[in-house]
Amino acid sequence: MARPKGQGKKTKDLIAEKAKVIFEQKGYVGTSMEDIRKYSQISKGSIYYHFKNKEELFLYTVEKTSKNWRTRWEDHANNIESATEKLYLLAKYYASDMQNALSYTVPEYMATQNIDTVMKNKIFELIKPEFEVFYQILAEGIQHNEFESRQSPENLAYILYSTLTGLSITQFIGYNDEQFFALYQSAIDIFLKGIVTESD
C-alpha cells in the first residue's frame, strides 16, 4: 500500500535531519547506515525505502542544507541594494556557515570518490545553490557598472567561491573567531581592490 506523498516527504526529511547530526559528529566515512538507524529510531526498511545507500542520503542532506542556506541568505540580502555591500555581507555570512560541522564532511566525501564526469556533476549540484549567489552578485555589479573586470561573472564567481571556501582552513592553524571573520572581510577587500599599488 503506497504511503501518502506528504507523509513520505516528511519521513524522508526527518531521516535527513537525523543523519545530518551523525555526519557532523562522525564525518562521512565514519558514519554508517546503522548509526543513522539507531540515532533516528527509524526502521532500516524505512531508511532504505527513501535512500538506496549512504551516499544518496548524504548528498540529499547536503543539498537540503545548501538550499536552506540559500533561503536564509536571500532573506538577509533582500534589504541590501549595492553589490559591494552584498559581497561584504556574503563574506560575513559565509564565515559563519564555514563553522558548520557539515561543511567539513563535503571535502571528505569528495576524497572518497573517483573524479570523473559523474562525480563532477555531483560536486556542482552540491555547490550550485551557493555558487549561484556569488554569480548573481557579481553579474549584478558588472551590469550596474559597480564592478569592472575583463573576467566573466562566472570566472569571478568561481575565484571568489574558492577563496572564501578555502579560508575555512584557517580555523585549524590558530586563528581565533575574530581573526577568522576579519580574514573573510579582507578577502573581499583584496578581491575588489587588489594588492598592487598603481605607479605614478
Side-chain angles (χ1 to χ4, degrees):
M1 183 179 191
R3 68 188 70 189
K5 187 175 181 181
Q7 183 182 348
K9 180 69 164 59
K10 186 176 179 181
T11 302
K12 184 174 185 176
D13 286 343
L14 177 61
I15 294 167
E17 181 185 319
K18 298 295 184 181
K20 180 176 181 285
V21 175
I22 302 300
F23 284 129
E24 288 176 339
Q25 290 176 354
K26 294 189 168 188
Y28 176 74
V29 174
T31 296
S32 68
M33 292 294 264
E34 180 60 17
D35 292 329
I36 294 166
R37 184 201 66 76
K38 283 181 180 177
Y39 181 73
S40 67
Q41 295 295 299
I42 296 171
S43 72
K44 187 178 286 189
S46 184
I47 292 173
Y48 279 105
Y49 174 85
H50 293 285
F51 303 99
K52 65 181 180 183
N53 54 37
K54 181 176 78 169
E55 180 185 22
E56 187 175 285
L57 173 52
F58 176 75
L59 292 174
Y60 182 82
T61 301
V62 173
E63 180 186 8
K64 194 170 186 301
T65 301
S66 188
K67 285 179 178 176
N68 289 340
W69 179 92
R70 174 76 178 265
T71 300
R72 292 195 311 273
W73 157 256
E74 288 175 349
D75 288 342
H76 285 87
N78 282 341
N79 300 318
I80 298 175
E81 292 186 9
S82 82
T84 299
E85 288 179 297
K86 285 180 183 177
L87 282 182
Y88 281 106
L89 177 63
L90 180 61
K92 184 177 180 181
Y93 203 81
Y94 218 70
S96 297
D97 193 63
M98 281 292 105
Q99 295 182 316
N100 181 337
L102 191 66
S103 299
Y104 306 131
T105 63
V106 175
E108 180 194 3
Y109 162 74
M110 288 164 55
T112 68
Q113 307 297 307
N114 292 320
I115 304 299
D116 55 17
T117 303
V118 175
M119 183 56 195
K120 287 176 183 175
N121 290 337
K122 285 182 186 176
I123 293 170
F124 186 72
E125 286 304 312
L126 285 178
I127 71 169
K128 187 176 179 181
E130 297 172 25
F131 174 80
E132 286 177 345
V133 169
F134 286 78
Y135 177 84
Q136 286 170 2
I137 295 172
L138 292 163
E140 174 189 322
I142 291 171
Q143 182 182 359
H144 296 153
N145 296 317
E146 197 174 333
F147 306 146
E148 184 179 343
S149 176
R150 289 179 225 145
Q151 296 288 331
S152 69
E154 184 176 34
N155 285 347
L156 290 172
Y158 277 121
I159 291 167
L160 187 56
Y161 177 84
S162 300
T163 300
L164 297 190
T165 303
L167 279 175
S168 65
I169 196 172
T170 58
Q171 292 181 91
F172 307 109
I173 55 177
Y175 281 79
N176 60 36
D177 284 352
E178 185 178 343
Q179 292 170 318
F180 182 70
F181 277 82
L183 274 178
Y184 276 79
Q185 296 298 299
S186 295
I188 301 301
D189 287 337
I190 293 168
F191 181 79
L192 291 175
K193 302 168 188 174
I195 59 173
V196 177
T197 56
E198 292 187 17
S199 56
D200 295 331

